Amino acid sequence: MMMLNLNPLPAPTTLVCKGKEALGEVPLGEVPLGKEALGEELRRKALRTTAALALLATAGAAHALSLAEAYTAALGNDPQFRAAQAQTEASREALPQAVARLRPNISISSQHYRIEQERTDGGQSFPKQDYPSYSTTLSIRQPLLNLRLTASRDQAKASVASGEAALSLEQQQLGNRLVAAYGNLALGYEQLTLVNLQQRSTGSRLTAAKRALEAGTGIRTDIDEIQAQSDLLDAQQLQARQAIQAAQAELEEITGRPITKPILLRENKALLIASQRLDPGTLSTWLEKINTASPELLARKAQVEAAQAAGRATRADHLPTLELVAQTSKSSSENSFFVDSKTETQAIGVQLTLPLYQGGFLQSRDRQTAAELRAAEELVSRTQTTARIEASKAFYALKEGIARVAALEKAVESAKQVVIANQKSFTAGLRSTLDILAAEQRAAQTQLDLRQAQLQLLVNHVRLLGLVAQADTPVFEELSTWFQ
């Protein structure tokens, strides 16, 4: 099962949020008096940075590709899913083919010849003959008793059911791959926005530190520390852009749609409420659903039914078959003794076929189908156990993810207060620039951890639903509201 791999960049040095969440550049000597003033200042800077990102990444698109739109596009474009669709369409034909063998078989054959014959009998020669000959036959065969054909029809039904379940499983896996790729791209844009704002803040602090040194109130160590942070941010920005390019290429490959606008999460407070609605309830409910709705388990159970039908078909090969046969034919000049003669024949009757001995072939087939049935039953048992384990993992990951998002939301608020406290202490002469940078670094990492947890929550939600074939278009439409 593909999982979203949310690996954040190295720990940033400045807290960044969008809107009222923003904590970013606060030049020395311009420390705001409260959180409201700080948020207002950083809101304007976040909007400017986001606008610059949009101009850089777009070519005039009206809106970003939503998660629901990406899912719809992926259903029609993803080569792996389209291959599964074609395979399912092919497997569906097994049933009409099996049913057709139970219906009448009508055929017609016609032969036309020009015969030249020279005959000698001992020393006696007969006149040379040159005549036309033809025969036309229409025949109908209708199975009356053929248990093998009946069992083959049942086997085809089970095979079609297995194919349909396999297609459903592939669709759920496509949803998992899509939400992972979409989330990775969203996280990449979150990281890039964060790094860009950090660069602005660090540049402002570096300028202030240099002025303080020139005025005799600063120290060289502060400048070196801030310059080191600036150099690190340059590397992080390059890394973030590379991560976006990789995630964008993967998403475009799945959807077949160009990604022309940044994908960004909504504000934390809105997502905190939305995350609570993803509560999966009780584990027992999901384990019950696994037994009745798991696509992989349903496919395995259908394969058992197909193996059982194959066994019945093999055993039926030991039994007689009975067919109704009707035939009409017309012929002319069938041989040299009846030149220029015409014959019309109609016949109707039954044909009984009883197998007697085929060198042990049928007995070998019996053993083979019995072994295949045992293997299919064992795979059902293993798949059921695996599916229940995967459901438990996804359930607890979702439960813990919801709690983690709530905890990180509180941690982000606390980190903001720590940054403000350090800024006020700096104004009072009790903290240094490096203390503020350290507080901003911790706050920024907390904010990034929150974004990571929010995106991971989506992955775990889709994964759990996919285990019971419920990750469909309405689900992705609802999850689209998580993004701007």
Side-chain angles (χ1 to χ4, degrees), residues 143-201:
L144 299 178
L145 176 64
N146 194 323
L147 297 181
R148 176 176 180 79
L149 295 182
T150 304
S152 296
R153 179 193 59 191
D154 297 339
Q155 183 180 2
K157 288 181 179 179
S159 297
V160 171
S162 176
E164 297 290 350
L167 178 62
S168 176
L169 174 62
E170 187 61 45
Q171 183 172 348
Q172 304 307 310
Q173 292 176 343
L174 172 61
N176 290 338
R177 289 188 287 118
L178 175 71
V179 75
Y182 197 90
N184 276 325
L185 184 56
L187 182 61
Y189 278 116
E190 292 288 340
Q191 293 171 328
L192 182 59
T193 301
L194 177 62
V195 170
N196 286 341
L197 289 181
Q198 287 176 299
Q199 287 178 319
R200 293 171 61 87
S201 175

Side-chain angles (χ1 to χ4, degrees), residues 8 63 65 77 83-84 115 122 137 246 256 277 390 440 446-447 450:
H63 64 281
L65 181 69
N77 174 78
I115 299 176
T137 303
R277 293 199 293 266
E390 291 298 320
E440 290 176 340
T446 304
Q447 169 66 14
L450 174 59

Side-chain angles (χ1 to χ4, degrees), residues 5-14 16 18 49 53 183-199 233 235-245 247 262-265 444-445 447-449 451-452 455:
N5 184 18
L6 297 178
N7 294 320
L9 298 178
T13 58
T14 306
V16 172
K18 295 185 285 295
T49 302
L53 282 174
N184 276 325
L185 184 56
L187 182 61
Y189 278 116
E190 292 288 340
Q191 293 171 328
L192 182 59
T193 301
L194 177 62
V195 170
N196 286 341
L197 289 181
Q198 287 176 299
Q199 287 178 319
L233 287 172
Q236 290 179 358
Q237 184 187 59
L238 178 60
Q239 184 179 359
R241 292 187 182 280
Q242 292 174 340
I244 287 175
Q245 291 173 356
I263 296 173
L264 302 170
L265 282 165
Q445 185 60 51
Q447 169 66 14
L448 195 56
D449 288 344
R451 287 312 205 190
Q452 178 184 5
L455 291 167

Side-chain angles (χ1 to χ4, degrees), residues 4 6 18 63-71 175 178-190 251 259 261-268 270-272 274-275 277-278 450-459 461-462 475-484:
L4 178 64
L6 297 178
K18 295 185 285 295
H63 64 281
L65 181 69
S66 72
L67 184 57
E69 292 171 338
Y71 179 67
L178 175 71
V179 75
Y182 197 90
N184 276 325
L185 184 56
L187 182 61
Y189 278 116
E190 292 288 340
L251 186 58
I259 309 301
K261 194 169 184 180
I263 296 173
L264 302 170
L265 282 165
R266 295 175 62 192
E267 293 185 357
N268 292 333
L271 294 186
L272 178 62
S275 65
R277 293 199 293 266
L278 301 184
L450 174 59
R451 287 312 205 190
Q452 178 184 5
Q454 290 166 340
L455 291 167
Q456 190 67 52
L457 200 62
L458 294 184
V459 173
H461 178 61
V462 172
V475 169
F476 286 95
E477 288 176 348
E478 180 182 356
L479 296 182
S480 293
T481 62
W482 283 53
F483 300 89
Q484 296 183 20

Side-chain angles (χ1 to χ4, degrees), residues 73-121:
L75 289 176
N77 174 78
D78 183 65
Q80 184 172 333
F81 181 67
R82 288 194 299 174
Q85 285 180 311
Q87 184 63 41
T88 302
E89 291 175 3
S91 69
R92 289 173 185 153
E93 297 302 321
L95 182 56
Q97 291 172 13
V99 171
R101 297 181 65 188
L102 291 167
R103 295 172 178 165
N105 186 334
I106 305 174
S107 63
I108 186 170
S109 63
S110 181
Q111 300 176 353
H112 292 262
Y113 300 100
R114 185 74 185 181
I115 299 176
E116 293 182 2
Q117 187 179 57
E118 294 182 2
R119 179 184 170 204
T120 59
D121 188 359

